[in-house]
Amino acid sequence: MAKKAKEAIEKNTSTEERIKEAARRVFTQKGYAATRTRDIAEESGLNLALINYYFRSKEKLFDIIMLEHLQLFIHSIMGIVNDESTSLQEKIEILVGHYIDMLIKNPNIPIFLLNEINADPKKLIAKIGIDKIQHGHEPVYLMKQWMEIAATKKMANINPIHILMNFVALTIFPFVGSPLIRNRTGLSIEAFNKLMEERKKLIPIWINATMNSALYDNGQ
Amino acid sequence: MAKKAKEAIEKNTSTEERIKEAARRVFTQKGYAATRTRDIAEESGLNLALINYYFRSKEKLFDIIMLEHLQLFIHSIMGIVNDESTSLQEKIEILVGHYIDMLIKNPNIPIFLLNEINADPKKLIAKIGIDKIQHGHEPVYLMKQWMEIAATKKMANINPIHILMNFVALTIFPFVGSPLIRNRTGLSIEAFNKLMEERKKLIPIWINATMNSALYDNGQ
DNA sequence: GTCTATAACCTGATAGAC
DNA sequence: GTCTATCAGGTTATAGAC
């Protein structure tokens, strides 16, 4: 026990953590159904039985990974969207930067999450419980700012959900489609990531452009 | 044999076709790994053994469905993108309309395709062969028009791949994220589809706005 | 062509030695 | 805590009756 704890501190990789890291990689890459507990054992360099020893079942281990990923998406931005000292435009810039940095590090989390949610939407809500990925129900300051801007720009004729969809689509979709994009264009990972870095500046400009364009173009 | 053929013509559903239809539904919804041949048999109302009788294996049946879906995405637009009588702006409008109509009918094809491609990118290219989803290598007329526009608008400072990504992202992403979006917003399927119908008009406007915005905003 | 029964294999989980 | 061996249940695919 003492030896184990020491090793864990030194290498920062207890057996439990090594399994979780392996599970993160394999689940995220192949999805729940296509992942065998044997794959995780192999990836971790440990034994099959240890997975059940530490996590009781494949499903319980999966739930832990899933929750982590959801929190990575939600929790990490709470400080940003509730910051009363930044403007809406600044928030958009910061959020795009934050997400693109995270996605360059973890490019296949979005497709993993979207696919698992799609496979069984109810399951996640029932099992994980929305309360675990949400900081209570305090109103988000970003929303307040958004509504103000929308009112002054007379964007009432366009559903704000469109702008939110566009923000998420422009930021996340390239990563979701990355294998296809890279295959069709012949882009290396480095070249692809360079494009994503460019988008940190471009997306806020585009979001702004779409918000303004709706002002006059949509009244035809 | 004669009876079977007659029935197939009358009801347009031979046993083989009934299996394919069931497989389309189940594979598209749950993905390859999570689908059991029993699910397909059940969904088709037929016997388990018939799947292997007609298609030899689960994998071969899957490949057929997969190829169909890929072709649905690629083949169906060849007439549009190579039409020399329409402008680039018109093509964008037609393409957005075409895809949104198709996606309202088949909302979970994109997440299915993207997930399977992500699970094993090499497999698809090796197995399906890119030649089967591409009409040879004739240059696409849309590309020619695009390059002309890009040159006149002096968009040389922005990689055209961004605009292509934006087009695909704005059109397809809402469907990929639909379960999550609908869960968070409480939108019914009908309300969601109504939003998508709105996007048929909005996306071409937005694409135009982003192309123009890059002209002056990106030079800072 | 279609069905039932079953073979052959795979996967998650556990028992028990160390 | 960690490993090997194995069980129990489920899955694909096929054999053989009709």
Side-chain angles (χ1 to χ4, degrees):
Chain A
M1 184 77 105
K3 199 181 75 182
K4 217 38 303 190
K6 188 155 157 279
E7 188 190 319
I9 291 162
E10 279 176 3
K11 308 170 65 180
N12 198 25
T13 47
S14 62
T15 298
E16 191 175 344
E17 192 52 39
R18 280 175 66 190
I19 294 172
K20 265 174 73 175
E21 278 168 16
R24 226 184 324 266
R25 281 193 292 275
V26 182
F27 276 137
T28 309
Q29 168 64 40
K30 318 212 307 184
Y32 178 77
T35 296
R36 302 171 309 153
T37 50
R38 280 166 172 79
D39 296 332
I40 298 172
E42 212 174 302
E43 176 79 15
S44 69
L46 293 165
N47 191 272
L48 178 61
L50 289 171
I51 293 169
N52 292 291
Y53 177 79
Y54 279 100
F55 298 94
R56 277 191 56 85
S57 74
K58 174 188 173 184
E59 201 179 1
K60 287 206 185 349
L61 175 53
F62 176 79
D63 290 347
I64 291 169
I65 305 297
M66 184 54 138
L67 184 59
E68 276 184 13
H69 282 169
L70 284 171
Q71 288 178 335
L72 188 60
F73 257 77
I74 313 286
H75 273 179
S76 60
I77 61 159
M78 280 303 157
I80 300 168
V81 296
N82 279 317
D83 185 347
E84 303 200 4
S85 72
T86 53
S87 70
L88 181 63
Q89 189 67 22
E90 284 166 340
K91 281 190 180 62
I92 290 174
E93 285 167 22
I94 295 167
L95 282 172
V96 169
H98 170 87
Y99 275 124
I100 288 181
D101 282 340
M102 188 196 80
L103 292 169
I104 285 175
K105 279 184 207 135
N106 312 288
N108 42 19
I109 287 184
I111 184 77
F112 164 79
L113 284 178
L114 290 167
N115 188 53
E116 297 296 342
I117 290 168
N118 181 256
D120 199 340
K122 292 170 216 160
K123 189 175 129 189
L124 273 189
I125 299 149
K127 191 190 318 201
I128 308 275
I130 220 60
D131 48 305
K132 283 191 188 157
I133 50 170
Q134 220 174 242
H135 269 143
H137 278 279
E138 337 107 50
V140 177
Y141 191 72
L142 178 145
M143 286 296 170
K144 187 167 169 286
Q145 291 178 303
W146 188 3
M147 292 308 170
E148 284 170 14
I149 299 274
T152 57
K153 289 208 176 178
K154 306 211 174 53
M155 273 174 46
N157 60 334
I158 185 177
N159 194 323
I161 291 178
H162 282 306
I163 307 293
L164 180 59
M165 275 183 189
N166 294 356
F167 173 82
V168 180
L170 292 172
T171 307
I172 294 180
F173 187 85
F175 292 91
V176 175
S178 149
L180 195 61
I181 293 166
R182 299 230 340 276
N183 174 54
R184 306 300 296 169
T185 58
L187 251 50
S188 69
I189 291 183
E190 293 72 27
F192 178 83
N193 286 346
K194 198 156 173 292
L195 280 175
M196 295 306 106
E197 289 285 347
E198 287 175 27
R199 290 178 81 84
K200 285 187 191 173
K201 288 201 170 180
L202 290 167
I203 290 171
I205 294 169
W206 291 330
I207 293 290
N208 208 38
T210 58
M211 287 174 94
N212 288 325
S213 74
L215 179 59
Y216 49 88
D217 284 343
N218 198 32
Q220 94 258 76
Chain B
M1 182 77 103
K3 198 180 79 183
K4 216 44 283 188
K6 187 155 157 278
E7 188 190 318
I9 290 164
E10 280 176 4
K11 306 171 65 182
N12 200 27
T13 47
S14 62
T15 298
E16 191 174 344
E17 191 52 38
R18 279 175 66 189
I19 294 171
K20 266 174 72 175
E21 278 168 16
R24 221 181 333 260
R25 281 192 293 274
V26 182
F27 276 137
T28 310
Q29 168 62 39
K30 319 213 305 185
Y32 179 78
T35 296
R36 303 170 308 153
T37 50
R38 279 167 171 77
D39 297 331
I40 298 171
E42 213 174 302
E43 176 78 16
S44 69
L46 293 165
N47 190 274
L48 179 61
L50 289 171
I51 293 168
N52 292 292
Y53 176 79
Y54 279 101
F55 298 95
R56 275 193 55 86
S57 76
K58 174 187 173 183
E59 201 180 1
K60 287 206 186 349
L61 174 54
F62 176 80
D63 290 347
I64 291 170
I65 304 299
M66 186 54 141
L67 184 59
E68 276 184 13
H69 281 170
L70 284 171
Q71 288 177 335
L72 187 61
F73 257 77
I74 313 286
H75 272 178
S76 61
I77 61 160
M78 280 303 157
I80 299 168
V81 297
N82 278 317
D83 185 347
E84 301 200 4
S85 73
T86 53
S87 70
L88 180 63
Q89 189 67 21
E90 283 166 341
K91 280 190 180 62
I92 290 174
E93 285 167 21
I94 295 167
L95 281 173
V96 170
H98 170 87
Y99 274 124
I100 288 182
D101 282 340
M102 189 197 79
L103 292 169
I104 285 175
K105 279 185 206 134
N106 311 289
N108 42 19
I109 287 185
I111 185 76
F112 164 80
L113 283 178
L114 290 167
N115 188 54
E116 298 294 342
I117 290 169
N118 181 256
D120 199 340
K122 293 171 217 160
K123 191 175 127 188
L124 272 189
I125 298 149
K127 192 191 320 206
I128 308 275
I130 222 61
D131 47 306
K132 283 191 188 158
I133 49 170
Q134 219 172 243
H135 270 143
H137 278 280
E138 338 111 45
V140 177
Y141 191 72
L142 178 147
M143 285 298 170
K144 188 168 168 286
Q145 291 178 304
W146 188 2
M147 292 307 169
E148 283 170 15
I149 299 274
T152 59
K153 289 206 177 179
K154 306 213 174 51
M155 274 174 46
N157 59 336
I158 185 178
N159 193 323
I161 291 179
H162 282 306
I163 307 293
L164 180 59
M165 276 183 188
N166 294 356
F167 173 81
V168 179
L170 291 172
T171 307
I172 293 179
F173 186 85
F175 291 91
V176 175
S178 148
L180 195 61
I181 293 167
R182 299 229 343 273
N183 173 55
R184 305 301 294 170
T185 59
L187 252 48
S188 68
I189 291 183
E190 291 73 28
F192 178 83
N193 286 346
K194 198 155 171 294
L195 280 176
M196 295 306 108
E197 289 285 348
E198 288 175 27
R199 291 176 81 84
K200 286 187 190 174
K201 287 200 172 181
L202 291 168
I203 290 172
I205 294 169
W206 290 331
I207 293 291
N208 208 39
T210 58
M211 288 175 92
N212 289 324
S213 74
L215 179 59
Y216 49 86
D217 284 343
N218 198 34
Q220 93 258 75

